[in-house]
Amino acid sequence: MSYSSSATASGTLEGASASRGLWSSRLAFILAATGSAVGLGNIWKFPYITGENGGGAFVLVYLVCIAAVGIPIMMAEVLIGRRGGHSPVNSLRLIAERDKLNPAWKIAGIIGVLAAFLILSFYSVIGGWAVSYVGTAASGQLAGATPEAVEAIFTGLLGDPGTLLLWHTVFMALVMVVVARGVRSGLERAVSILMPGLFILLLIVVGYAMTTGHFGEAVSFLFQPDFSKLTTSGVLVALGHAFFTLSLGMAVMMAYGSYLPKNISIAKTSITVSIMDTGVALLAGLAIFPIVFANGMEPGAGPGLIFQTLPLAFGQMPMGTLFGTLFFVLLIFAAWTSGISLLEPLVEWLEEQKGMNRTISTLAAGIACWLLGIASILSLNLWSDVTPLGMFAMFEGKTIFDLLDFLTANILLPLGGLLVAIVVGWFMSKQAVENELSLSESGFKLWYNTLRFVTPIAVLVVFIYNLA
Ligand code: TRP
């Protein structure tokens, strides 16, 4: 059976691979997918939610979620993308047509595109913090700074909507420039240099963290589970973060999978990407918590955690101004490659669906996202008391920024992932799925049963617990 000819026959769309171009190699796909996965989620979000949720037990649940839910769904998403050969919405539509499924399955793609858009709106604001910290570090302000001084720099930034807007605009512009040019030319080359660089700098900070005398404390905080500290909402956060950090549940991996050549193993690449992503998150934890404990800071300090700990470390280590500047530059790159992957699905879809050219669709999507980002900026200062859905217990006290984060990571992403698991596990032709993966018989069984049973049940149970 030829996939591309059936794609052409079943819709008005062109055959897949010929006109779209493919990743140049397995490594290129791994790098791009890793570039999407490794981002603020690993370095900014993982440490702060780990701190807020009490450490070890949360980390353990998170690791289980990566293995039992994240990896199987990543494989399923890449598979949909490669088999469909189009943007996520249309890939799902074509697969539904080919396997005679209900066309409504494309809703999984639509949720994804929507979630990506919402995430990028606040992601860009945080990306802007990183941009701002390059200047802070480079100016030498951090050298020898006290914890109080470092905190004042951070609260000063959050309290200043104009500065936040400036850096949010810069970040969004960076993302739009690359997306407008197309994924292949710039992205592949950029990630292959930047990701290893980030990894090395993280190791340097971990090395410094070892000298603080509180490394052991941090290791036990991260790896000794104390289940009395784990709440059901903590489990939801861990599950949601597994989706967020692996870029799942919203069609990014489908979009990237659509450029993956047929002869490359989906399982191996998905596992490699997941391991690298988890490795970076754990390293970030090992870099940050020793500094937290050494300075008597609060692990549960929230979204500002890394912006209040890492500057301290850089302020104290030899050549800290240099390393600090480099670190925030690389953090921008990590966020940038993720931001690109967040804008890509909507742009790809606007192009295909509305027939807009790439530049126009990038501008339309990017500007809309930038505008929404302004609401997140204001909710950090002028609108810090505005809690739009505060009347519902589950959203109590959540500002617009918190709400977007909660809604996307904890609801839309798991929901999108659940739909993917169900369509691939229960509805797509098993033969087609098996061919696409070409695993050993036992490997396929393990994956298939996990995707059919473990993944959906885990997501549903966590959902029901939290909604009830
Ligand atoms: N995974 C990225 C991070 O950890 C964020 C991200 C990029 C993302 N693309 C995504 C999250 C798609 C969810 C879905 O920073």
Side-chain angles (χ1 to χ4, degrees):
M1 173 173 51
S2 153
Y3 295 117
S4 49
S5 66
S6 64
T8 315
S10 61
T12 52
L13 298 155
E14 292 297 303
S17 30
S19 58
R20 287 161 48 90
L22 297 173
W23 299 111
S24 57
S25 65
R26 177 174 121 89
L27 184 64
F29 171 81
I30 291 186
L31 287 170
T34 309
S36 167
V38 175
L40 296 170
N42 306 63
I43 295 167
W44 162 70
K45 196 169 180 192
F46 173 75
Y48 100 73
I49 56 178
T50 299
E52 284 183 341
N53 288 285
F58 175 85
V59 174
L60 188 66
V61 174
Y62 160 77
L63 292 176
V64 170
C65 289
I66 294 279
V69 181
I71 294 178
I73 291 189
M74 186 183 295
M75 291 169 59
E77 281 197 19
V78 176
L79 185 155
I80 290 178
R82 186 162 79 180
R83 187 162 148 77
H86 287 86
S87 78
V89 180
N90 283 319
S91 285
L92 276 164
R93 188 173 64 75
L94 286 170
I95 287 172
E97 279 171 15
R98 251 180 257 158
D99 291 351
K100 311 246 174 325
L101 310 180
N102 190 326
W105 281 114
K106 72 172 190 213
I107 288 174
I110 295 175
I111 293 184
V113 172
L114 175 73
F117 176 78
L118 296 177
I119 293 176
L120 183 58
S121 76
F122 68 86
Y123 202 86
S124 167
V125 175
I126 317 292
W129 298 358
V131 181
S132 149
Y133 268 76
V134 172
T136 310
S139 69
Q141 279 178 65
L142 300 177
T146 59
E148 292 72 31
V150 166
E151 196 188 322
I153 293 176
F154 183 69
T155 40
L157 175 66
L158 292 206
D160 180 354
T163 308
L164 289 173
L165 182 64
L166 172 67
W167 300 127
H168 163 56
T169 309
V170 169
F171 186 84
M172 204 64 185
L174 287 173
V175 168
M176 287 165 66
V177 166
V178 176
V179 173
R181 291 189 168 188
V183 170
R184 179 139 176 207
S185 46
L187 197 62
E188 273 193 28
R189 212 156 0 113
V191 280
S192 59
I193 302 167
L194 300 173
M195 286 301 135
L198 182 71
F199 201 75
I200 291 168
L201 270 177
L202 259 181
L203 284 176
I204 292 179
V205 186
V206 173
Y208 166 80
M210 286 176 164
T211 68
T212 58
H214 292 257
F215 195 71
E217 209 178 318
V219 170
S220 29
F221 179 74
L222 284 170
F223 299 111
Q224 264 179 20
D226 171 358
F227 285 95
S228 68
K229 290 191 187 149
L230 191 68
T231 59
T232 56
S233 83
V235 177
L236 179 67
V237 172
L239 178 74
H241 189 63
F243 282 92
F244 187 90
T245 191
L246 295 178
S247 300
L248 298 180
M250 41 146 294
V252 166
M253 292 299 164
M254 281 184 220
Y256 281 15
S258 74
Y259 303 100
L260 186 67
K262 293 282 178 204
N263 56 354
I264 287 175
S265 159
I266 291 179
K268 269 194 224 152
T269 44
S270 302
I271 292 172
T272 311
V273 171
S274 305
I275 290 176
M276 292 204 272
D277 185 76
T278 308
V280 172
L282 295 177
L283 270 184
L286 289 174
I288 285 155
F289 286 107
I291 302 167
V292 170
F293 296 127
N295 292 282
M297 299 166 121
E298 216 8 86
L305 188 66
I306 70 159
F307 295 96
Q308 302 181 30
T309 52
L310 293 179
L312 273 180
F314 294 123
Q316 287 160 19
M317 69 172 77
M319 302 213 291
T321 297
L322 175 69
F323 286 141
T325 311
L326 267 179
F327 183 86
F328 286 110
V329 168
L330 288 173
L331 184 60
I332 294 172
F333 282 114
W336 192 5
T337 51
S338 301
I340 290 163
S341 76
L342 285 162
L343 193 58
E344 176 66 21
L346 181 56
V347 169
E348 197 183 14
W349 187 66
L350 285 176
E351 262 184 310
E352 261 177 25
Q353 206 61 28
K354 307 278 176 237
M356 293 182 185
N357 75 33
R358 194 156 183 103
T359 313
I360 305 282
S361 47
T362 305
L363 276 174
I367 291 175
C369 206
W370 175 80
L371 280 173
L372 185 61
I374 296 176
S376 287
I377 288 183
L378 292 172
S379 80
L380 296 170
N381 37 67
L382 302 176
W383 294 355
S384 59
D385 307 328
V386 180
T387 54
L389 298 177
M391 60 280 210
F392 301 106
M394 131 182 234
F395 302 125
E396 208 183 304
K398 287 200 175 0
T399 63
I400 299 174
F401 178 97
D402 300 335
L403 210 60
L404 283 169
D405 179 21
F406 183 84
L407 203 71
T408 50
N410 298 356
I411 305 205
L412 291 178
L413 299 186
L415 201 64
L418 180 65
L419 291 178
V420 166
I422 293 176
V423 73
V424 175
W426 293 90
F427 288 89
M428 261 174 86
S429 125
K430 182 172 175 192
Q431 194 54 50
V433 170
E434 212 168 344
N435 288 346
E436 199 71 47
L437 288 180
S438 47
L439 290 173
S440 69
E441 205 184 311
S442 54
F444 180 76
K445 267 203 187 124
L446 174 67
W447 170 79
Y448 203 54
N449 288 324
T450 311
L451 190 77
R452 281 161 69 89
F453 301 104
V454 180
T455 308
I457 292 173
V459 174
L460 279 176
V461 167
V462 174
F463 259 154
I464 291 167
Y465 247 98
N466 277 280
L467 296 178

